[in-house]
């Protein structure tokens, strides 16, 4: 059996290590997972009620067009229904964009340390990936612009960027978009947009009327706490959405996910509360890292990337032994770990474990 040559050596995406697996492997009773940027506060109570109401319809196929959820989301965002497409997480929208637009030999531009799913999906379709180094952990939009040519099909901007957590300012983003040729699609991945409190950040939805070559990605997995239900969406011009819809599989989102999404949108107070708690968590981690003399990137999502001044892979293993799961393995930042912002209690436990590991390392120097 011969597969596509471009996928033979493609790395398999590695999700955060599951809590149950760590407990079983290490014989631990308590484990906290701060590796996958999940919402430590769960989801809105309104979502739970909506999910329970759907159990009676569990044998019935979902609405393949997600019409009711589309109507609610369009009203919430102030866009037209034809501008929205839903997917099994925003990951699927990324895959659908790649499937819809790339042919072998097309070029695509992205940061050299960003969400890995852009690169893998581009390579599956035979596109040539151009990676541009980050500048202080932030997208270097001038350098990315200089790489655009007649073969460029898509530019990916993760804002806030995963894993560094940095944002592209409003000024820098609009200046960049003003210069991008019309034939190039710009994907603004805003999975963590609802966490941002910085006034220099621009909501990508507001840019769609001026820049028809932009599509914005969002998800219900993060601040809404629906990660297990796998539902995300893209918003763009109807012409772009129609093309992506042509390669979408039918029934790609479940009845339960659609009902949960509608309820999540309605509970704006839950989102506001989560954003405030997340910001408090970030400030606490800043204080602790400063006291430990550790440098970090400015955090605008629900995670922070910090230089632990030793091998991040070793730190991952050491923290794992203490029942704390974080993320390592970032090739461009071998001494940095990415830690999700947990609840106040989880953050305290993480810092205690981090201090224990760092003190142990100092004692052996």
């Amino acid at each position: 059996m011969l597969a596509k040559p471009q996928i033979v050596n493609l790395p398999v995406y590695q999700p955060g290590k599951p809590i149950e697996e760590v407990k079983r492997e290490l014989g631990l009773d308590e484990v906290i997972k701060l590796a996958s940027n999940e919402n430590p506060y769960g989801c809105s109570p309104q979502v739970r009620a909506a999910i329970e109401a759907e159990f009676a319809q569990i044998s019935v196929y979902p609405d393949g067009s997600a019409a009711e959820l589309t109507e609610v989301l369009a009203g919430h965002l102030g866009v037209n229904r034809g501008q929205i497409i839903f997917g099994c997480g925003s990951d699927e929208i990324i895959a659908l964009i790649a499937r819809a637009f790339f042919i072998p030999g097309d070029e695509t531009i992205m940061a050299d340390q960003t969400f890995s799913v852009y690169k893998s999906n581009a390579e599956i379709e035979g596109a040539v990936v151009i990676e541009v180094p980050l500048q202080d952990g932030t997208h270097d939009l001038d350098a990315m612009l200089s790489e655009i040519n007649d073969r460029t099909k898509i530019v990916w901007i993760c804002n806030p960027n995963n894993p560094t957590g940095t944002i592209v300012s409003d000024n820098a983003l609009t200046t960049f978009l003003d210069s991008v040729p019309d034939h190039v699609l710009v994907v603004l991945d805003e999975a963590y947009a609802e966490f941002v409190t910085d006034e220099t950040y621009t909501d990508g939805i507001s840019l769609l009327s001026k820049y028809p070559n932009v599509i914005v990605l969002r998800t219900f997995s993060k601040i809404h706490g629906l990660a297990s239900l796998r539902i995300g969406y893209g918003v763009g011009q109807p012409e772009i959405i129609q093309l992506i819809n042509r390669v979408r599989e039918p029934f790609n989102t479940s009845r339960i996910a659609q009902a949960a999404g509608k309820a999540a949108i309605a509970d704006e107070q839950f989102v506001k509360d989560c954003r405030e708690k997340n910001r408090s968590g970030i400030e606490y981690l800043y204080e602790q890292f400063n006291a430990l003399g550790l440098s970090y990137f400015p955090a605008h999502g629900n995670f922070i990337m910090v230089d632990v001044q030793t091998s991040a892979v070793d730190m991952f293993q050491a923290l794992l032994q203490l029942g704390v799961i974080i993320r390592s393995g970032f090739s461009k930042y071998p001494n940095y770990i990415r830690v999700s912002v947990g609840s106040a209690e989880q953050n305290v436990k993480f810092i205690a474990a981090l201090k224990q590991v760092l003190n142990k390392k100092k004692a052996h120097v």
Side-chain angles (χ1 to χ4, degrees), residues 120-133:
S120 59
N121 278 284
E123 291 183 336
I124 287 169
E125 302 301 331
V128 177
V129 175
I130 310 298
E131 295 179 278
V132 176

Side-chain angles (χ1 to χ4, degrees), residues 22-318:
V22 174
K23 285 183 176 180
R24 186 173 59 251
E25 287 181 357
L26 301 179
L28 297 171
D29 294 325
E30 183 182 7
V31 172
I32 60 172
K33 182 185 177 189
L34 301 175
S36 299
N37 304 339
E38 295 150 332
N39 190 336
Y41 307 106
C43 65
S44 161
Q46 296 180 33
V47 167
R48 295 192 192 96
I51 289 173
E52 290 173 2
E54 281 301 310
F55 288 162
Q57 304 293 327
I58 210 157
S59 63
V60 181
Y61 279 109
D63 174 4
S65 66
E68 290 185 9
L69 178 55
T70 301
E71 184 75 32
V72 171
L73 182 61
H76 177 70
L77 297 177
V79 300
N80 297 322
R81 291 171 49 114
Q83 291 184 259
I84 297 172
I85 183 171
F86 288 97
C88 180
S90 54
D91 294 25
E92 188 190 18
I93 307 297
I94 293 166
L96 293 176
I97 290 171
R99 185 191 295 180
F101 291 102
F102 287 135
I103 58 174
D106 282 343
E107 291 188 3
T108 184
I109 300 168
M110 62 193 67
D112 72 342
Q113 193 76 73
T114 192
F115 190 38
S116 63
V117 174
Y118 313 144
K119 183 176 182 179
S120 59
N121 278 284
E123 291 183 336
I124 287 169
E125 302 301 331
V128 177
V129 175
I130 310 298
E131 295 179 278
V132 176
L134 294 170
Q135 192 172 60
D136 298 325
T138 304
H139 285 71
D140 187 343
L141 295 184
D142 289 339
M144 294 175 79
L145 186 65
S146 70
E147 293 290 347
I148 294 176
N149 58 44
D150 291 341
R151 295 181 300 280
T152 306
K153 188 69 72 71
I154 298 175
V155 177
W156 308 84
I157 299 174
C158 191
N159 195 31
N161 186 45
N162 180 11
T164 58
T166 57
I167 58 171
V168 174
S169 69
D170 171 59
N171 231 12
L173 183 57
T174 54
T175 299
F176 172 78
L177 292 174
D178 285 339
S179 302
V180 173
D182 293 341
H183 75 273
V184 176
L185 179 65
V186 178
V187 180
L188 296 180
D189 186 348
E190 297 184 345
Y192 301 95
E194 293 92 347
F195 289 105
V196 180
T197 58
D198 192 298
E199 293 182 355
T200 67
Y201 181 78
T202 295
D203 179 336
I205 305 295
S206 68
L207 301 174
L208 295 176
S209 59
K210 184 176 180 182
Y211 303 102
N213 59 332
V214 168
I215 181 168
V216 177
L217 308 185
R218 296 277 182 85
T219 182
F220 286 96
S221 296
K222 303 306 179 183
I223 205 164
H224 294 291
L226 306 186
S228 68
L229 298 183
R230 308 309 303 125
I231 185 161
Y233 57 94
V235 188
Q237 293 304 317
E239 297 79 10
I240 294 175
I241 298 301
Q242 286 173 15
L243 290 171
I244 301 169
N245 247 322
R246 293 179 186 277
V247 299
R248 178 179 64 83
E249 302 296 333
F251 311 121
N252 64 326
T253 61
S254 71
R255 293 186 67 94
I256 290 176
Q258 290 178 28
K262 284 190 293 180
I265 292 167
D267 196 347
E268 295 185 21
Q269 187 61 46
F270 176 80
V271 171
K272 181 175 181 290
D273 290 345
C274 289
R275 179 166 50 245
E276 291 174 354
K277 291 174 184 176
N278 181 73
R279 194 67 233 173
S280 295
I282 288 173
E283 296 300 332
Y284 168 77
L285 292 174
Y286 280 175
E287 291 172 5
Q288 297 300 313
F289 293 153
N290 289 338
L292 291 168
L294 303 179
S295 60
Y296 49 85
F297 291 117
H300 295 280
N302 66 335
F303 56 92
I304 185 167
M305 199 169 179
V306 55
D307 182 356
V308 291
Q309 302 174 358
T310 187
S311 164
V313 173
D314 290 347
M315 178 60 73
F316 169 85
Q317 292 296 337

